Amino acid sequence: MNNYSMTLPDYTIGEAAYDSIEAFCLCRGKTAVMIGGKTAMEKAAEKIAAHCGTIELLDRIWYGGECSYENVANLQAHPSVQQADMIFAVGGGKALDTCKCLADRVHKPVFTFPTIASNCACCTCVSIMYQPDGTFLEPYFFDYAPVHAFIDTAILCAAPEKYLWAGLGDTYAKYYEATISARGEQPEHFKSLGLAMATMCTEPIFQHGAKAYEDNKMHRTSEAFKEVVLAITVSTGLVSIMLTRDHTPDYNSGLAHAVFYALTALGIEENHLHGEVVAFGVLICLLYDGQIAEYTRVRSFNAQVHLPVCLSDLGISSEQMQALVPKIAEMSDVRHYPYNVEPEKLWEIIKKIG
């Protein structure tokens, strides 16, 4: 019998989430360096600084614009990073993932301050690493989750609604991909717990997603908005931690994400958000798996909130997609699937979706 342990992140959510910065962080050190996206720090840095109390902020540093090992190395050499007791990660998924990878490399606690509600990076034990040109490279796993996530709903609601919109797709993907990847197996307790929790990545989205999206457009916080933010940032993050804790097997991804990562070869992120593309990938995932009722449900929801329902919604031609089909079938995301993803069948499925 193997021993195992895991760390789960704490979180504070609400318009006054930053009020507790000093209370949660002071036990980890007296100095911090703030690292994040340029726009993110413009929106959040002053509010963070105003609630640090006796914690000294040594510097504010741009993360580099891409979650790459090169940018992590540049930050690792920065004097303020070397001097600080803690890292305050501010921004979207790539900024937070860069900081988490950095924190693991320099062995310092990291606290996250998401400024958009598009993904679960503020809570997870993985950083998705890219080449400097934006091409997907690999996931970088580590043992410790961020110590605490400060989820300020006022800042998130003031952000462009496209980020929450994309987050809807990235979140419901977690349930479908995880349950397919684990099919027919008897996972350990923590992975079974993660699979059971995965329903919290679908039902709040389908129940509250459309209203939360409309509230975000109006920059109006609401209970629906908060529930969807929690599903995107916390529920999905906790499921991710439990499903990837020992990385063998990995139930955390699947065909929908394989579609996205393959499309990075076309520079898909120049014009489309991660979760937006994953939302289309879920349609492929479900139809390939023969889940017709769920495919219909997701396609109807996508149409309601204007997430992609066909290739043209992503600006991709049939010829471009067909050329990438073999690459999709070989992605690491589908290595632990209950069946082989066959390129010929995959292409037929994509043609049916349109």
Side-chain angles (χ1 to χ4, degrees):
M1 180 181 295
N2 295 326
N3 294 326
Y4 63 83
S5 62
M6 70 172 68
T7 64
L8 300 177
D10 294 328
Y11 68 92
T12 304
I13 186 168
E15 295 186 30
Y18 291 178
D19 289 359
S20 58
I21 291 174
E22 184 179 28
F24 282 108
C25 300
L26 193 56
C27 62
R28 294 302 188 105
K30 297 180 179 180
T31 61
V33 58
M34 185 186 299
I35 304 171
K38 292 179 180 178
T39 301
M41 290 196 290
E42 287 176 6
K43 301 297 182 183
E46 294 304 324
K47 190 172 182 180
I48 293 170
H51 291 90
C52 282
T54 59
I55 296 170
E56 181 184 2
L57 282 177
L58 301 180
D59 210 343
R60 301 176 188 180
I61 309 171
W62 180 48
Y63 80 101
E66 186 56 80
C67 185
S68 65
Y69 289 118
E70 289 80 1
N71 283 333
V72 170
N74 289 337
L75 291 167
Q76 192 170 349
H78 198 289
S80 295
V81 173
Q82 295 175 0
Q83 182 182 351
D85 297 325
M86 302 170 283
I87 295 170
F88 284 4
V90 184
K94 288 193 174 185
L96 302 186
D97 277 0
T98 301
C99 292
K100 291 186 300 178
C101 180
L102 171 66
D104 186 65
R105 292 285 182 89
V106 299
H107 308 292
K108 295 185 178 183
V110 59
F111 296 82
T112 58
F113 299 80
T115 55
I116 55 175
S118 64
N119 56 71
C120 59
C122 65
C123 289
T124 57
C125 293
V126 62
S127 293
I128 305 302
M129 308 304 295
Y130 292 80
Q131 302 281 9
D133 66 359
T135 305
F136 169 71
L137 178 60
E138 64 183 5
Y140 176 93
F141 296 100
F142 35 88
D143 293 331
Y144 299 101
V147 179
H148 195 98
F150 297 92
I151 307 168
D152 187 313
T153 49
I155 288 176
L156 297 182
C157 201
E161 67 273 6
K162 67 179 180 179
Y163 296 113
L164 179 128
W165 171 74
L168 300 174
D170 199 34
T171 298
Y172 64 59
K174 185 69 68 181
Y175 170 77
Y176 296 117
E177 291 187 306
T179 52
I180 292 172
S181 294
R183 182 178 297 155
E185 300 191 1
Q186 295 182 324
E188 294 178 83
H189 170 267
F190 56 88
K191 288 190 175 179
S192 295
L193 185 58
L195 290 166
M197 289 175 59
T199 58
M200 290 297 293
C201 299
T202 52
E203 297 315 311
I205 300 299
F206 295 134
Q207 183 177 351
H208 302 294
K211 185 177 187 309
Y213 180 42
E214 292 302 316
D215 288 339
N216 198 170
K217 287 181 181 179
M218 301 298 293
H219 303 303
R220 178 178 59 211
T221 57
S222 65
E223 194 63 25
F225 180 78
K226 185 182 79 170
E227 288 299 315
V228 168
V229 167
L230 283 168
I232 294 171
T233 60
V234 177
S235 298
T236 310
L238 292 176
V239 171
S240 173
I241 289 171
M242 292 177 183
L243 296 185
T244 59
R245 194 205 131 278
D246 62 1
H247 324 313
T248 308
D250 181 0
Y251 300 147
N252 193 46
S253 193
L255 184 53
H257 276 79
V259 169
F260 168 78
Y261 292 128
L263 287 173
T264 63
L266 299 178
I268 192 71
E269 288 185 291
E270 292 179 11
N271 298 302
H272 300 278
L273 295 167
H274 172 92
E276 175 190 359
V277 181
V278 169
F280 179 70
V282 171
L283 297 178
I284 298 172
C285 169
L286 291 173
L287 201 56
Y288 193 101
D289 198 54
Q291 297 188 48
I292 306 305
E294 288 301 303
Y295 167 81
T296 302
R297 182 191 193 194
V298 173
R299 189 182 180 101
S300 176
F301 178 80
N302 282 10
Q304 180 185 7
V305 298
H306 307 295
L307 282 167
V309 295
C310 59
L311 275 177
S312 62
D313 289 339
L314 295 174
I316 300 170
S317 68
S318 294
E319 292 76 16
Q320 287 175 309
M321 193 67 182
Q322 186 175 14
L324 285 174
V325 162
K327 185 177 181 68
I328 295 170
E330 294 174 355
M331 295 298 292
S332 61
D333 303 84
V334 292
R335 285 179 190 160
H336 194 86
Y337 242 38
Y339 44 75
N340 291 327
V341 175
E342 303 293 342
E344 296 80 7
K345 179 181 176 180
L346 181 58
W347 178 233
E348 291 303 314
I349 292 296
I350 293 171
K351 287 193 293 184
K352 285 182 183 179
I353 295 172

